Amino acid sequence: MIRYLAAGAAIVAALTATIADARWLRAETESFIIYSEGSDKSLRDFASKLQRFDVALRLLLNVKEQGEPNRLPIYLLASTGDVAKLHSGSRDASVVGFYRTARDGSFAVSHRDNGGSTRGTSPSQETLFHEYAHHFMKRYRTGAFPAWIIEGFAEYYSTVDFDKNGKALIGKPAYGRGYGLVQLPQIPVAALITTDPQSLKTVGQVDVYYGRAWLLIHMLFHDPARDGQLGTYIRAINMGVEPTQAARTAFGDIAKLDKDLTVYLKRPLSYRMTNDPIPVPAQITVSVLPPAEDALIPLRLARMNGPARDDDAKAIRDSLRTLAATHADSASAWFEYAAAEWGLDEDVRNLPAVRSALDRALAIKPDHVRANVLLGEWMMHDLDEKDDFEDASWVRARAPVELAIKTDPNDPLPLYVYYQSFSEQREMAPTAAIDGLEKAFRLSPENIQFRVAYALALANRGQFGSAIQLAQSIAFDPHMGAQARPLLNQLLRLRAESTGLREEAIEAEDEVGNGTGE
């Protein structure tokens, strides 16, 4: 899903030029931390709509928890061109928003540019709702979902709006997909349900794919004749049924489904409405960022977006080093510089510089969560380089990570790093570390690293069913599936080996019991 920045130092110049005279504001709600260099009013409006959307999704999808202990950061850029530049290095790229899960944490990027839209909800709102729907689905729907459902789900809920009484309207038309659905060659349903959108070659094909996925989800949700079919299909997929066979079982004849979808497009589309108004959130705080934090935003985004080339990463590192020197009293600036240096390839990164920057950050703010985590990782790396695997040494290395856990129990990264430290020491993780890993996964189930680690931990405990289910849940994901399929195959092989060993043991016991053993 994510492409990368290009052009070395030009990245930093392009990102910072767009906000040279702007001040970033930070809005906080129960579920989000939203950054924008727009006006206070526009940010409050965005925050209010997004929080109401979160409440609506919880109501519609029967999620009882309200709010988020691990809130999603969202960055609102001025225009689609700014988003495209960050995402791919070109302002002309056809990217208007993106959602990313990363080791540092999940985040979404959208825009405030509505381009004179007159039909339906605004493009900026649809983009934001689409990206958050991805996040919500990954966090609260941990089953296996084929790519067309993942994208169709996000498109379907992206058009949610609220009437003058505050009631949520669900299933409104996705007008932005109209051209692809009407004017371009259509993807047959038989191909739609098996196609990986990452394999599509043109913008037009991607547009058609998203439009058809949205339309099929809409029909399955709203056509009474097909009530319950989507649930049947998803259950079959999660039982391991091959996707095409699962579709035939749930939907019947696929050719007829395709014809019905063509007819459905020509019908007036219905939408649903919640029985009660979705309340406007009472608690939205907006604050102006301090100068150092304000200057950090574009560079932090560039770092988190994961530049693919060494020159790009070095340019970001150099800019962060300069910024840290300028704002020498900012713990965040020193941490970001340390993180950028640490993120370079091992043969080029300057480890003493990482440690020095972390020491500066922690001298200013001793309980800085991420600086303490990175310090622990630095110390563990140093022990590994020295072949020092003594318990006392690793207890000292884990100490800053444990402080990070104590400081913010709802940050999943310290919990994950603490668990991984035992593997790096070549030791079995104790129960407390495995429990911490489980909590990290519960706080951020969308994070593939946490999910993979937890699946392997479950497998090590012999809980292969739960481990395989976790791997299956991302094997179909159009953004992460390529990383998950090897894990799924590994777990299936381990289960088969474990089952074989148990069967051999049972046979041996039977032979002894029957007096046939040697």
Side-chain angles (χ1 to χ4, degrees), residues 4-16:
Y4 296 102
L5 301 168
I11 302 168
V12 177
L15 284 171
T16 55

Side-chain angles (χ1 to χ4, degrees), residues 383-460:
L383 292 174
D384 185 66
E385 289 290 298
K386 296 175 180 175
D387 288 326
D388 180 354
F389 300 104
E390 294 296 323
D391 285 344
S393 301
W394 284 79
V395 166
R396 286 192 294 272
R398 290 188 187 102
V401 181
E402 292 175 308
L403 174 58
I405 293 171
K406 181 179 179 181
T407 303
D408 186 356
N410 290 320
D411 186 338
L413 182 60
L415 296 165
Y416 169 76
V417 170
Y418 182 76
Y419 169 81
Q420 287 292 103
S421 72
F422 292 94
S423 174
E424 293 176 22
Q425 192 192 353
R426 283 64 160 176
E427 295 285 341
M428 290 292 292
T431 299
I434 297 174
D435 291 345
L437 176 64
E438 180 181 5
K439 183 178 180 181
F441 168 70
R442 300 298 176 199
L443 285 165
S444 187
E446 72 277 6
N447 186 297
I448 190 169
Q449 285 183 298
F450 301 168
R451 185 169 293 224
V452 167
Y454 186 49
L456 290 172
L458 289 173
N460 287 334

Side-chain angles (χ1 to χ4, degrees), residues 351-373:
L351 290 177
V354 174
R355 180 59 190 262
S356 176
L358 289 173
D359 288 344
R360 295 287 296 269
L362 291 170
I364 298 165
K365 186 174 173 55
D367 62 352
H368 190 291
V369 171
R370 293 303 177 90
N372 273 300
V373 173

Side-chain angles (χ1 to χ4, degrees), residues 190-324:
L192 178 72
I193 60 178
T194 59
T195 295
D196 179 351
Q198 299 294 314
S199 68
L200 300 175
K201 304 299 184 185
T202 69
V203 172
Q205 289 176 332
V206 172
D207 187 30
V208 172
Y209 181 93
Y210 276 63
R212 293 281 279 181
W214 162 75
L215 187 64
L216 183 52
I217 287 288
H218 198 288
M219 184 174 78
L220 293 171
F221 277 166
H222 290 261
D223 186 347
R226 295 192 174 274
D227 184 44
Q229 290 185 351
L230 184 60
T232 300
Y233 172 73
I234 292 171
R235 285 191 292 273
I237 289 290
N238 280 271
M239 291 173 63
V241 178
E242 189 273 329
T244 300
Q245 182 56 48
R248 291 194 188 101
T249 300
F251 307 135
D253 182 72
I254 302 301
K256 184 178 185 306
L257 178 66
D258 196 84
K259 291 177 182 177
D260 288 351
L261 193 62
T262 300
V263 172
Y264 189 78
L265 176 61
K266 299 173 182 177
R267 290 168 42 185
L269 295 182
S270 63
Y271 62 89
R272 297 179 289 155
M273 180 186 298
T274 56
N275 293 326
D276 299 313
I278 305 298
V280 175
Q283 295 296 323
I284 297 178
T285 61
V286 175
S287 57
V288 177
L289 295 183
E293 290 289 332
D294 184 75
L296 272 175
I297 292 290
L299 295 172
R300 179 184 294 138
L301 271 175
R303 180 184 70 79
M304 291 193 306
N305 200 42
R309 303 190 322 174
D310 283 345
D311 287 348
D312 303 341
K314 289 176 183 176
I316 295 166
R317 183 273 316 272
D318 291 345
S319 295
L320 282 166
R321 180 171 54 202
T322 300
L323 190 147

